[in-house]
Every structure is written in C-alpha cells, then in structure tokens.
Amino acid sequence: MSERLPGLGLGLDLQHVPSEPRGSAVALLYRRVGAGVEVYWVRRGKALAFAGGFYAFPGGKLDAADAQVPVRGVTGEEAALRSAAARELFEEAGVLVAEGAEALSQEKLDALRKALLAGKLGWGELLHAEGLALRADDFRGAGRWITPPSVPVRFDTHFYLVELPPKARAELWPGELSEGAWIAPEAALARWNAGTALLHPPAVHALQVLGSFKDEADARARLLTPPYCPGYISQRIEFQKGVRVVALETATLPPATHTNAYVLGNGELLLVDPGSGDVKQYAKLLSLVSSLKAEGCKPVAVVLTHHHGDHVGGARAVKERLGIPLWCHAKTAEWLDFPVERLLEDGEVLELAGDVPQRWRVLHTPGHARGHLCLVDERSHSAVVGDMVAGVGSIVIDPPEGNMRDYLAQLARLRDWPVTTLYPAHGQPLPDGPSKLQEYLNHRAQREALIFDAVPADGVSLAEVVERAYADTPPVMHPVAERSALATLEKLVAEGRVREESARYFRQGS
C-alpha cells in the first residue's frame, strides 16, 4: 500500500464510509476452580478473514433463524442474541446450555452437534425435537462492543456470561477454529503480555475482570462498564501488551482507508507513523498518549517507517505538540521539510524502559522506499512493518524510489529473522508472519512469471505488458499496477533476462 500516486486519475470514490455493524453474540463460558475461575477460549483459524489467528470466545454473527427460537424471560432482539450465543456455544465448544440438556448422553449431544454443523438440522428444530428450552437466566448480559469504524468488517457484539453446567464438557472439533482450551485468566493474560496470544479489547477486558472473580454479580457489573469505550467502541486497542494501534484516516490507495499509527512501550513510548495531517485524526493519537501519560508513561520519540505522505502527514504536528524528537532513516530524512533529530541505522536497538521493558531492533528494509524501516521486538519477535506487507490491499513498488530486487530480498530477510506477528500500516495484524511473507514472495514470483511471459523477443510497451500480465486486475487499477510492473521489468533487465530500448522491452535469449 502507498499514498495515492500523483497523476494517475483513477476516478475512484476514495471517501471512507464505515460499514454497518452486523449483529453478533459471544458466550463467555467459565467454570469455577478453587477460589477463582477458568474460561474457555478458542483460537480462530489463520485463514479466517476476520480476526484470523486471534484468541477469542465462542461466538459469531446472528442467523436469521435465531430470532425464531423462543427464549424464556426475554423477547425480540434480546431473545435472538441469546439464541445465537447458545447456538454458537454448542457449535464451537459442544456445550448445550438449555433446560433439559442435562438428560442427553454425550453420544446424543455429539450426534446433534454434527447434524447442526452439517446443516441437516436447524437450531430451532433441534431444540424442539429434544424438548429443550433456552432460558435468559443462563445467558447473563456481560457487555456490548462495536468494531471500530476503520475495520472493513464490523460487528455489534453482545457478550453473555455463561457458567458451565454440571457434567457438561467443552470440546473443540476441527474446522474454523484451530484451538480450544480451558485457561486461567491470569495465564491467558500472561500470553498476551508475551505476545504469544493476540486479543481484541473485549477479550482483554473480560480476562482482566475474571482474573479477580468474586461472584457473578460483581463480574457482570465490571464487564458491563469497560474503560475507554464510549458508544461501545474501544478507544484503546492493544493487541499485545505494549503494542497499541490508532487507525487514522489518510489519503491511501483503496481498499485501504486508514494508516495505523502505533504506540509502543509500557513506560517509555515510541509513536510510529502519525500519518494523517488532519487535526481531527491525529488528535486521536494525542488523546491516547495523554491518557497514557496520566498513567505514568512518557513519550520519547516519533519514529517513521518511511517518507510517504500517508505515514508522515501528522509527524511534525505530533512531535511539536509533545515536544519530542523525530527519528527515521537518512533516506527518509531527505524527503522531509522539518527537522529530524536522530538518524536510525540497520541493527540499532531502541530500548524502552517500563514495567515490561521493550527492545525494538531496527531493520533497514528498502524496496518499497529507500529509507524504509521495520521494528522487531526482541522479546516476542513481533514486528511493526510499515508497508512491507498489508492487512488490506496490496503493496505498490514504484520506481525509482521503489526497487523490486531490494523488496524481495527484505521480505525473505524478515521471513527468516524469524518474525512472529506482523503489524502493518494498513489493516489488521497478521499473526503468522513467516507464512504471510512467504505468501508475498510466492505472489511476486507468480506475477514476475506472467510479466516475463508477456515480453516477446520483438518487443512490447509497458502498457501492453500490464494489459497482458494483469488481466486479473480491474482496468481502473492498471495505472497503479503499471508501477509495480515497471519495477519487475527493471529487475528482469538487471538480471539480463529482458532488454530495454526506447521504452520498449525485449526478451533476451530463449
């Protein structure tokens, strides 16, 4: 992804209109263990479009049929949401919470679950056939969370606190979920602290509350009143401890509409890529920093991954408002018209003091831009990767600043470091970094083969190469594709496989 490339005239509507949230429900299943509780959490499959690779609790979007299932004690939307929570809990964890379910054998429960998942038996039909009834008191309201407007797929999610019934058994079956287990809240949070379990704000809050469980009434009261959550939308998003993201609207190539600014650290703070020059946007970042300062944190510097406008738009204003220096690579500093206090080099370590200290290794990763940097956490191996990869859209390599050979070399370098979670400038975190980086390498290799095949021995223009090699790309995006195609052709020329003469390209050899 990049800032909008000048002069391309794409004719696209680039105004961001948030998607409408879809109704969904989550069952926060717990069981009592000694003086505390354990919760049942699941890991979403890495291939899932929404929150792939994240840890969460059983749940999902409302089905139309959920509203047809009666729930004793409530009606309307409240009934439909509880019905959805009960259905998802049974589908994903095998726990059927309904009056009369205790009389069913495990073999019968397994058969019913299998039929429901296969679509051979409807949810309401299942309950009616077995003489079961859903009860509102089994699903106690435990909060509401709405996905932030910056995310393409949004949910309006109601959480329900559910105690495991006697003799019930939770079991994960292979499918959309890759893991399922009982875990103490403090153990789950320790994994979040270490960066080995990515969590969304509702899960972090639930685990923090249940980690000091006294009784259900107290837990529900605290679950219903999360901090930093006006209008049910979290203002503090911390996918792992000490890695916070603020999505700022920027002038980016679609489908991306935002650039992620990151606030790193648990005491001393680095602010990475305050990309929007709109005061209403960078004010979101300053608001988060203000709240962290009130908790004893201290911002020490603004860091830029590279010079593109959607990464530096608010950098000067933020550094001046906070009175902190700006750090970046020398090749980035050359593009800026405001002071840079420190030039970062490959291999440096940026140490951040705090209750959990951090050490971020600086990697110079040219290719998308000559001064491009990534930051790798030496403890968790998570990496803030700027425009090396994207959680939404694709990466443009735009010569002469962009260089495909360098870019591919740096993708392989990051893959082999190795890194774990990738935090891109656009879109959501990517939990399996090496696989995503290899996916990018594979895609570029496939595209290079198409471009090479599009070059005949008797010559072809750049526009003709794009028309042939990007037949799977909408024509409106061909001006953008042309830039990456040019970068690939320059790579092929450097390798002696293609010759360029008078803006035409000729295949060399056989």
Side-chain angles (χ1 to χ4, degrees), residues 270-313:
L270 295 179
L271 282 60
V272 181
D273 285 356
S276 177
D278 182 345
V279 64
K280 293 181 180 179
Q281 293 300 312
Y282 67 70
K284 301 174 187 177
L285 177 61
L286 292 173
S287 176
L288 172 60
V289 172
S290 178
S291 68
L292 292 171
K293 287 174 67 176
E295 297 169 12
C297 294
K298 177 186 176 183
V300 296
V302 171
V303 176
L304 301 179
T305 61
H306 62 295
H307 73 275
H308 287 158
D310 58 321
H311 293 255
V312 307

Short mmCIF file of all heavy atoms in Angstrom, two decimals, residues 270-313:
data_model
loop_
_atom_site.label_atom_id
_atom_site.label_comp_id
_atom_site.label_asym_id
_atom_site.label_seq_id
_atom_site.Cartn_x
_atom_site.Cartn_y
_atom_site.Cartn_z
N LEU A 270 7.27 4.96 22.07
CA LEU A 270 7.57 5.39 20.71
C LEU A 270 6.26 5.52 19.95
O LEU A 270 5.38 4.66 20.07
CB LEU A 270 8.47 4.38 20.00
CG LEU A 270 9.88 4.17 20.52
CD1 LEU A 270 10.59 3.11 19.68
CD2 LEU A 270 10.67 5.48 20.51
N LEU A 271 6.13 6.59 19.17
CA LEU A 271 4.96 6.81 18.33
C LEU A 271 5.38 6.61 16.88
O LEU A 271 6.19 7.38 16.35
CB LEU A 271 4.40 8.22 18.53
CG LEU A 271 3.58 8.51 19.79
CD1 LEU A 271 4.38 8.26 21.05
CD2 LEU A 271 3.06 9.93 19.76
N VAL A 272 4.85 5.57 16.26
CA VAL A 272 5.27 5.19 14.92
C VAL A 272 4.23 5.62 13.89
O VAL A 272 3.06 5.28 14.00
CB VAL A 272 5.51 3.67 14.83
CG1 VAL A 272 5.98 3.28 13.44
CG2 VAL A 272 6.51 3.21 15.88
N ASP A 273 4.66 6.38 12.89
CA ASP A 273 3.87 6.75 11.71
C ASP A 273 2.56 7.49 12.03
O ASP A 273 1.46 7.00 11.72
CB ASP A 273 3.56 5.52 10.87
CG ASP A 273 4.74 5.03 10.07
OD1 ASP A 273 5.79 5.69 10.11
OD2 ASP A 273 4.62 3.98 9.41
N PRO A 274 2.64 8.68 12.61
CA PRO A 274 1.43 9.51 12.73
C PRO A 274 1.09 10.09 11.37
O PRO A 274 1.48 11.20 11.02
CB PRO A 274 1.83 10.58 13.74
CG PRO A 274 3.31 10.65 13.71
CD PRO A 274 3.82 9.33 13.20
N GLY A 275 0.35 9.34 10.56
CA GLY A 275 0.30 9.59 9.13
C GLY A 275 -0.69 10.62 8.64
O GLY A 275 -0.59 11.04 7.50
N SER A 276 -1.64 11.02 9.46
CA SER A 276 -2.65 11.96 8.98
C SER A 276 -2.33 13.38 9.43
O SER A 276 -2.05 13.63 10.60
CB SER A 276 -4.04 11.57 9.50
OG SER A 276 -5.00 12.52 9.08
N GLY A 277 -2.42 14.32 8.48
CA GLY A 277 -2.24 15.72 8.81
C GLY A 277 -3.52 16.41 9.24
O GLY A 277 -3.50 17.59 9.60
N ASP A 278 -4.63 15.69 9.26
CA ASP A 278 -5.91 16.23 9.71
C ASP A 278 -5.93 16.25 11.24
O ASP A 278 -5.77 15.21 11.89
CB ASP A 278 -7.04 15.34 9.18
CG ASP A 278 -8.43 15.85 9.54
OD1 ASP A 278 -8.55 16.72 10.43
OD2 ASP A 278 -9.41 15.36 8.95
N VAL A 279 -6.12 17.44 11.81
CA VAL A 279 -6.06 17.57 13.26
C VAL A 279 -7.07 16.66 13.95
O VAL A 279 -6.81 16.15 15.06
CB VAL A 279 -6.25 19.04 13.69
CG1 VAL A 279 -7.64 19.54 13.33
CG2 VAL A 279 -5.99 19.22 15.18
N LYS A 280 -8.24 16.43 13.33
CA LYS A 280 -9.23 15.55 13.94
C LYS A 280 -8.73 14.12 14.01
O LYS A 280 -9.16 13.35 14.88
CB LYS A 280 -10.55 15.60 13.15
CG LYS A 280 -11.26 16.94 13.23
CD LYS A 280 -12.56 16.89 12.44
CE LYS A 280 -13.29 18.23 12.51
NZ LYS A 280 -14.55 18.20 11.72
N GLN A 281 -7.84 13.76 13.09
CA GLN A 281 -7.31 12.40 13.08
C GLN A 281 -6.15 12.25 14.06
O GLN A 281 -6.16 11.37 14.92
CB GLN A 281 -6.88 12.02 11.66
CG GLN A 281 -8.03 11.91 10.68
CD GLN A 281 -9.05 10.87 11.09
OE1 GLN A 281 -8.69 9.74 11.43
NE2 GLN A 281 -10.32 11.23 11.07
N TYR A 282 -5.13 13.11 13.94
CA TYR A 282 -4.00 12.91 14.86
C TYR A 282 -4.35 13.27 16.30
O TYR A 282 -3.65 12.88 17.23
CB TYR A 282 -2.73 13.59 14.37
CG TYR A 282 -2.69 15.09 14.32
CD1 TYR A 282 -2.66 15.86 15.49
CD2 TYR A 282 -2.61 15.76 13.10
CE1 TYR A 282 -2.59 17.24 15.44
CE2 TYR A 282 -2.55 17.14 13.04
CZ TYR A 282 -2.54 17.88 14.21
OH TYR A 282 -2.45 19.25 14.16
N ALA A 283 -5.49 13.97 16.49
CA ALA A 283 -5.96 14.20 17.86
C ALA A 283 -6.31 12.88 18.55
O ALA A 283 -6.20 12.78 19.78
CB ALA A 283 -7.17 15.12 17.85
N LYS A 284 -6.71 11.86 17.77
CA LYS A 284 -6.99 10.55 18.36
C LYS A 284 -5.72 9.97 18.98
O LYS A 284 -5.74 9.40 20.08
CB LYS A 284 -7.53 9.58 17.30
CG LYS A 284 -8.79 10.02 16.61
CD LYS A 284 -9.13 9.05 15.49
CE LYS A 284 -10.29 9.51 14.65
NZ LYS A 284 -10.56 8.58 13.52
N LEU A 285 -4.62 10.13 18.28
CA LEU A 285 -3.34 9.64 18.77
C LEU A 285 -2.90 10.43 19.99
O LEU A 285 -2.47 9.85 21.00
CB LEU A 285 -2.30 9.74 17.65
CG LEU A 285 -0.86 9.35 18.00
CD1 LEU A 285 -0.79 7.89 18.42
CD2 LEU A 285 0.05 9.60 16.79
N LEU A 286 -3.03 11.75 19.94
CA LEU A 286 -2.64 12.59 21.07
C LEU A 286 -3.51 12.30 22.29
O LEU A 286 -3.02 12.35 23.43
CB LEU A 286 -2.75 14.06 20.69
CG LEU A 286 -1.74 14.55 19.64
CD1 LEU A 286 -2.06 15.99 19.23
CD2 LEU A 286 -0.32 14.45 20.17
N SER A 287 -4.78 11.98 22.08
CA SER A 287 -5.66 11.64 23.20
C SER A 287 -5.20 10.37 23.91
O SER A 287 -5.18 10.29 25.13
CB SER A 287 -7.09 11.48 22.70
OG SER A 287 -7.95 11.07 23.73
N LEU A 288 -4.82 9.36 23.11
CA LEU A 288 -4.31 8.13 23.70
C LEU A 288 -3.03 8.40 24.48
O LEU A 288 -2.86 7.93 25.61
CB LEU A 288 -4.05 7.08 22.61
CG LEU A 288 -3.34 5.80 23.08
CD1 LEU A 288 -4.14 5.09 24.15
CD2 LEU A 288 -3.06 4.89 21.89
N VAL A 289 -2.13 9.17 23.89
CA VAL A 289 -0.86 9.47 24.58
C VAL A 289 -1.13 10.24 25.86
O VAL A 289 -0.49 9.99 26.89
CB VAL A 289 0.07 10.27 23.65
CG1 VAL A 289 1.30 10.75 24.40
CG2 VAL A 289 0.48 9.40 22.46
N SER A 290 -2.09 11.15 25.85
CA SER A 290 -2.43 11.90 27.06
C SER A 290 -2.89 10.98 28.18
O SER A 290 -2.49 11.14 29.34
CB SER A 290 -3.51 12.93 26.73
OG SER A 290 -3.90 13.65 27.89
N SER A 291 -3.74 10.01 27.84
CA SER A 291 -4.22 9.08 28.87
C SER A 291 -3.09 8.21 29.38
O SER A 291 -3.03 7.88 30.58
CB SER A 291 -5.36 8.22 28.32
OG SER A 291 -4.92 7.33 27.31
N LEU A 292 -2.16 7.83 28.51
CA LEU A 292 -1.02 7.02 28.95
C LEU A 292 -0.07 7.84 29.82
O LEU A 292 0.50 7.34 30.79
CB LEU A 292 -0.28 6.47 27.72
CG LEU A 292 -1.05 5.41 26.91
CD1 LEU A 292 -0.32 5.11 25.61
CD2 LEU A 292 -1.25 4.14 27.72
N LYS A 293 0.10 9.13 29.50
CA LYS A 293 0.93 10.00 30.33
C LYS A 293 0.33 10.12 31.73
O LYS A 293 1.06 10.15 32.73
CB LYS A 293 1.07 11.38 29.68
CG LYS A 293 1.98 11.41 28.47
CD LYS A 293 1.96 12.76 27.77
CE LYS A 293 2.57 13.85 28.62
NZ LYS A 293 2.62 15.14 27.89
N ALA A 294 -1.00 10.18 31.81
CA ALA A 294 -1.67 10.26 33.11
C ALA A 294 -1.43 9.01 33.95
O ALA A 294 -1.54 9.05 35.18
CB ALA A 294 -3.16 10.49 32.92
N GLU A 295 -1.09 7.91 33.27
CA GLU A 295 -0.80 6.66 33.97
C GLU A 295 0.68 6.48 34.24
O GLU A 295 1.11 5.43 34.70
CB GLU A 295 -1.33 5.49 33.14
CG GLU A 295 -2.85 5.50 32.96
CD GLU A 295 -3.33 4.50 31.92
OE1 GLU A 295 -2.52 3.65 31.51
OE2 GLU A 295 -4.50 4.58 31.53
N GLY A 296 1.48 7.51 33.93
CA GLY A 296 2.90 7.48 34.24
C GLY A 296 3.81 7.18 33.07
O GLY A 296 5.03 7.07 33.25
N CYS A 297 3.25 7.04 31.86
CA CYS A 297 4.07 6.78 30.68
C CYS A 297 4.67 8.08 30.14
O CYS A 297 4.17 9.18 30.42
CB CYS A 297 3.26 6.08 29.60
SG CYS A 297 2.70 4.41 30.05
N LYS A 298 5.73 7.93 29.33
CA LYS A 298 6.44 9.10 28.82
C LYS A 298 6.79 8.89 27.35
O LYS A 298 7.59 8.02 27.01
CB LYS A 298 7.72 9.33 29.62
CG LYS A 298 8.58 10.48 29.11
CD LYS A 298 9.90 10.54 29.85
CE LYS A 298 10.81 11.64 29.28
NZ LYS A 298 12.13 11.67 29.95
N PRO A 299 6.22 9.70 26.45
CA PRO A 299 6.61 9.60 25.03
C PRO A 299 8.03 10.11 24.85
O PRO A 299 8.40 11.16 25.39
CB PRO A 299 5.60 10.49 24.32
CG PRO A 299 5.09 11.43 25.36
CD PRO A 299 5.16 10.69 26.66
N VAL A 300 8.84 9.36 24.07
CA VAL A 300 10.24 9.75 23.91
C VAL A 300 10.58 10.13 22.47
O VAL A 300 11.54 10.88 22.24
CB VAL A 300 11.20 8.64 24.39
CG1 VAL A 300 11.04 8.42 25.88
CG2 VAL A 300 10.99 7.35 23.63
N ALA A 301 9.83 9.64 21.48
CA ALA A 301 10.16 9.98 20.10
C ALA A 301 9.05 9.58 19.16
O ALA A 301 8.27 8.66 19.44
CB ALA A 301 11.47 9.30 19.66
N VAL A 302 8.98 10.27 18.01
CA VAL A 302 8.20 9.84 16.85
C VAL A 302 9.16 9.09 15.93
O VAL A 302 10.27 9.57 15.66
CB VAL A 302 7.59 11.04 16.11
CG1 VAL A 302 6.97 10.60 14.79
CG2 VAL A 302 6.53 11.72 16.98
N VAL A 303 8.75 7.93 15.45
CA VAL A 303 9.55 7.13 14.52
C VAL A 303 8.77 6.98 13.22
O VAL A 303 7.56 6.70 13.24
CB VAL A 303 9.88 5.75 15.12
CG1 VAL A 303 10.62 4.89 14.10
CG2 VAL A 303 10.71 5.89 16.38
N LEU A 304 9.45 7.16 12.10
CA LEU A 304 8.83 6.98 10.79
C LEU A 304 9.38 5.73 10.12
O LEU A 304 10.59 5.54 10.07
CB LEU A 304 9.09 8.19 9.89
CG LEU A 304 8.59 9.54 10.41
CD1 LEU A 304 8.96 10.65 9.42
CD2 LEU A 304 7.09 9.52 10.66
N THR A 305 8.48 4.91 9.56
CA THR A 305 8.95 3.76 8.79
C THR A 305 9.46 4.19 7.42
O THR A 305 10.40 3.60 6.90
CB THR A 305 7.84 2.70 8.61
OG1 THR A 305 6.75 3.29 7.89
CG2 THR A 305 7.36 2.18 9.95
N HIS A 306 8.85 5.23 6.83
CA HIS A 306 9.33 5.78 5.56
C HIS A 306 8.64 7.10 5.30
O HIS A 306 7.86 7.57 6.13
CB HIS A 306 9.14 4.78 4.41
CG HIS A 306 7.74 4.38 4.11
ND1 HIS A 306 6.96 3.67 5.00
CD2 HIS A 306 6.95 4.56 3.00
CE1 HIS A 306 5.78 3.43 4.47
NE2 HIS A 306 5.74 3.97 3.26
N HIS A 307 8.91 7.71 4.15
CA HIS A 307 8.55 9.11 3.92
C HIS A 307 7.21 9.34 3.25
O HIS A 307 6.80 10.50 3.09
CB HIS A 307 9.62 9.78 3.05
CG HIS A 307 9.57 9.33 1.62
ND1 HIS A 307 10.22 8.18 1.19
CD2 HIS A 307 8.96 9.86 0.52
CE1 HIS A 307 10.02 8.03 -0.11
NE2 HIS A 307 9.25 9.04 -0.54
N HIS A 308 6.49 8.33 2.81
CA HIS A 308 5.26 8.55 2.06
C HIS A 308 4.25 9.36 2.88
O HIS A 308 4.18 9.24 4.11
CB HIS A 308 4.65 7.22 1.63
CG HIS A 308 5.43 6.56 0.52
ND1 HIS A 308 5.38 5.21 0.27
CD2 HIS A 308 6.30 7.07 -0.39
CE1 HIS A 308 6.17 4.93 -0.75
NE2 HIS A 308 6.74 6.04 -1.17
N GLY A 309 3.45 10.15 2.18
CA GLY A 309 2.59 11.12 2.84
C GLY A 309 1.60 10.53 3.82
O GLY A 309 1.25 11.17 4.82
N ASP A 310 1.12 9.32 3.55
CA ASP A 310 0.17 8.70 4.47
C ASP A 310 0.84 8.12 5.71
O ASP A 310 0.17 7.52 6.55
CB ASP A 310 -0.64 7.61 3.75
CG ASP A 310 0.21 6.52 3.14
OD1 ASP A 310 1.28 6.83 2.59
OD2 ASP A 310 -0.19 5.34 3.20
N HIS A 311 2.16 8.34 5.84
CA HIS A 311 2.88 7.90 7.04
C HIS A 311 3.47 9.08 7.82
O HIS A 311 3.78 8.93 9.00
CB HIS A 311 4.01 6.94 6.65
CG HIS A 311 3.51 5.64 6.12
ND1 HIS A 311 3.53 4.47 6.84
CD2 HIS A 311 2.93 5.33 4.93
CE1 HIS A 311 2.99 3.49 6.12
NE2 HIS A 311 2.63 4.00 4.96
N VAL A 312 3.62 10.21 7.16
CA VAL A 312 4.29 11.35 7.81
C VAL A 312 3.39 12.57 7.96
O VAL A 312 3.82 13.59 8.50
CB VAL A 312 5.56 11.75 7.02
CG1 VAL A 312 6.46 10.55 6.80
CG2 VAL A 312 5.21 12.41 5.68
N GLY A 313 2.12 12.49 7.51
CA GLY A 313 1.26 13.67 7.47
C GLY A 313 1.14 14.43 8.77
O GLY A 313 1.09 15.66 8.78
#
